[in-house]
């Protein structure tokens, strides 16, 4: 009995000694891990702030894109810190990195459409074929841009409706921007019978154009004979007007020429106009 009691005491002392050694060893590991986590957290926030501040001063970089890259940098630092902390406890980080890579590949395959929209959103924000407030037209979408995001672009149609377009649909199709250039051309056609003097009608059209202060003087308005009929001639009044005034000016010119010539006017082709 005495020998058995002695063995128990010796085993207990050995267990306590081993437990103390493990506690000391892992306490330093835990303290080191906590210190790494805290430092990594503050470092990620600091790098996020520096990246956001630096990108915001780069000409042509949209703030949405700056936030996106800054967040990528922050989370990359956090993942690196997390893997380093696991290494403090003897975990094989190589297998963790391989697992993260496989998970990233699986997520990428599952979210192909979403990632395509993100890539398109980045290109739209970098190249800027359109900006907020501009009126655009594509094969499927027409409206005024209200917001350009990483996943989709928000528009307001001319009749006041809300429209959400995935970025991939705007990137993979030709886009007509009606607001980007400072001025726009307009061709107004009027049919003149042979009984009237062509030169007088040309001068009258030019006088109507010159009286409008919103019509550009450079390039100057011009009138030319566009086509000839059996008993008439079609005159085209070509003028340039500032883009914000284009819709109002063209409609006013239609009305004024209609009153002056007393006949219906023919437009050469329909042209989209931005919403007022």
């Amino acid at each position: 009995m005495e020998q058995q009691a002695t063995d128990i005491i010796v085993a207990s002392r050995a267990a306590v000694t081993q437990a103390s050694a493990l506690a000391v060893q892992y306490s330093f590991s835990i303290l080191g891990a906590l210190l790494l986590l805290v430092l990594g957290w503050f470092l990620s926030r600091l790098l996020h702030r520096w990246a956001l501040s630096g990108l915001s001063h780069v000409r042509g970089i949209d703030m949405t894109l700056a936030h996106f890259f800054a967040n990528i940098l922050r989370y990359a630092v956090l993942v690196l810190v997390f893997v380093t902390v696991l290494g403090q406890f003897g975990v094989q980080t190589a297998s963790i990195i391989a697992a993260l890579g496989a998970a990233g590949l699986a997520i990428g395959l599952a979210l192909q459409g979403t990632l395509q929209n993100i890539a398109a959103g980045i290109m739209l924000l970098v190249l800027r074929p359109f900006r907020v407030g501009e009126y655009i037209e594509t094969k499927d979408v027409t409206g005024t841009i209200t917001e350009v995001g990483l996943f989709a672009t928000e528009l307001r149609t001319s009749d006041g409706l809300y429209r959400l377009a995935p970025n991939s649909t705007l990137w993979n199709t030709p886009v007509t921007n009606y607001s980007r250039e400072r001025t726009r051309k307009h061709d107004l056609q009027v049919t003149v019978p042979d009984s009237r003097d062509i030169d007088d009608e040309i001068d009258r059209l030019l006088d109507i154009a010159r009286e409008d202060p919103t019509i550009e003087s450079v390039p100057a308005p011009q009138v030319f004979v566009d086509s000839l009929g059996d008993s008439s001639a079609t005159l085209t009044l070509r003028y340039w007007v500032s883009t914000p005034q284009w819709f109002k000016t063209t409609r006013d010119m239609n009305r004024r020429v209609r009153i002056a010539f007393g006949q219906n006017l023919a437009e050469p082709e329909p042209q989209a106009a931005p919403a007022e």
Side-chain angles (χ1 to χ4, degrees):
M1 292 292 293
E2 292 181 1
Q3 182 64 34
Q4 186 176 5
T6 302
D7 293 339
I8 293 175
I9 293 173
V10 172
S12 300
R13 289 177 178 176
V16 170
T17 302
Q18 186 176 4
S20 300
L22 290 174
V24 171
Q25 177 183 353
Y26 281 102
S27 63
F28 284 110
S29 297
I30 293 173
L31 289 175
L34 291 176
L35 183 61
L36 282 175
L37 287 175
V38 172
L39 291 177
W41 175 264
F42 282 106
L43 179 62
S44 66
R45 292 180 64 87
L46 185 62
L47 290 177
H48 177 271
R49 191 179 302 112
W50 284 351
L52 187 60
S53 176
L55 290 174
S56 62
H57 289 86
V58 177
R59 184 178 179 181
I61 295 293
D62 190 90
M63 285 307 298
T64 302
L65 200 59
H67 280 286
F68 176 72
F69 286 127
N71 285 330
I72 287 180
L73 179 61
R74 179 187 178 187
Y75 290 121
V77 172
L78 290 176
V79 170
L80 180 62
V81 169
F82 179 73
V83 173
T84 304
V85 167
L86 291 179
Q88 288 289 107
F89 295 96
V91 179
Q92 294 296 326
T93 56
S95 59
I96 296 177
I97 294 175
L100 290 176
L105 179 60
I107 293 174
L109 292 175
L111 300 176
Q112 281 184 344
T114 302
L115 295 178
Q116 185 179 6
N117 286 327
I118 293 176
I122 292 174
M123 297 304 298
L124 291 175
L125 290 170
V126 171
L127 298 180
R128 297 194 177 204
F130 46 77
R131 297 182 177 91
V132 173
E134 293 182 338
Y135 186 85
I136 69 166
E137 179 183 20
T138 68
K139 181 178 65 175
D140 303 315
V141 179
T142 302
T144 302
I145 303 296
T146 59
E147 182 179 350
V148 181
L150 281 175
F151 297 94
T153 297
E154 298 180 12
L155 305 95
R156 185 183 69 252
T157 63
S158 58
D159 50 353
L161 299 179
Y162 169 84
R163 178 164 293 174
L164 184 69
N167 287 332
S168 58
T169 62
L170 297 176
W171 176 248
N172 294 323
T173 187
V175 176
T176 301
N177 191 328
Y178 289 97
S179 305
R180 177 59 56 87
E181 300 298 330
R182 188 185 69 83
T183 58
R184 285 183 60 186
K185 183 191 73 173
H186 182 245
D187 286 349
L188 192 156
Q189 291 184 337
V190 58
T191 301
V192 177
D194 287 343
S195 58
R196 299 185 183 182
D197 185 88
I198 294 295
D199 292 333
D200 290 342
E201 302 305 317
I202 290 176
D203 292 337
R204 183 149 59 133
L205 281 173
L206 288 175
D207 289 339
I208 294 174
R210 294 190 185 109
E211 290 173 359
D212 195 317
T214 62
I215 292 180
E216 299 286 319
S217 58
V218 179
Q222 56 179 309
V223 179
F224 52 89
V225 179
D226 190 83
S227 61
L228 297 173
D230 293 336
S231 59
S232 63
T234 299
L235 303 180
T236 296
L237 168 62
R238 174 170 294 173
Y239 59 89
W240 291 79
V241 63
S242 64
T243 299
Q245 296 290 331
W246 186 89
F247 184 82
K248 180 179 183 300
T249 299
T250 55
R251 272 53 192 172
D252 288 344
M253 287 295 294
N254 285 349
R255 177 182 58 83
R256 292 170 60 189
V257 174
R258 170 69 176 83
I259 294 174
F261 282 77
Q263 59 180 323
N264 293 324
L265 300 176
E267 294 284 351
E269 58 181 0
Q271 301 185 56
E276 293 293 324

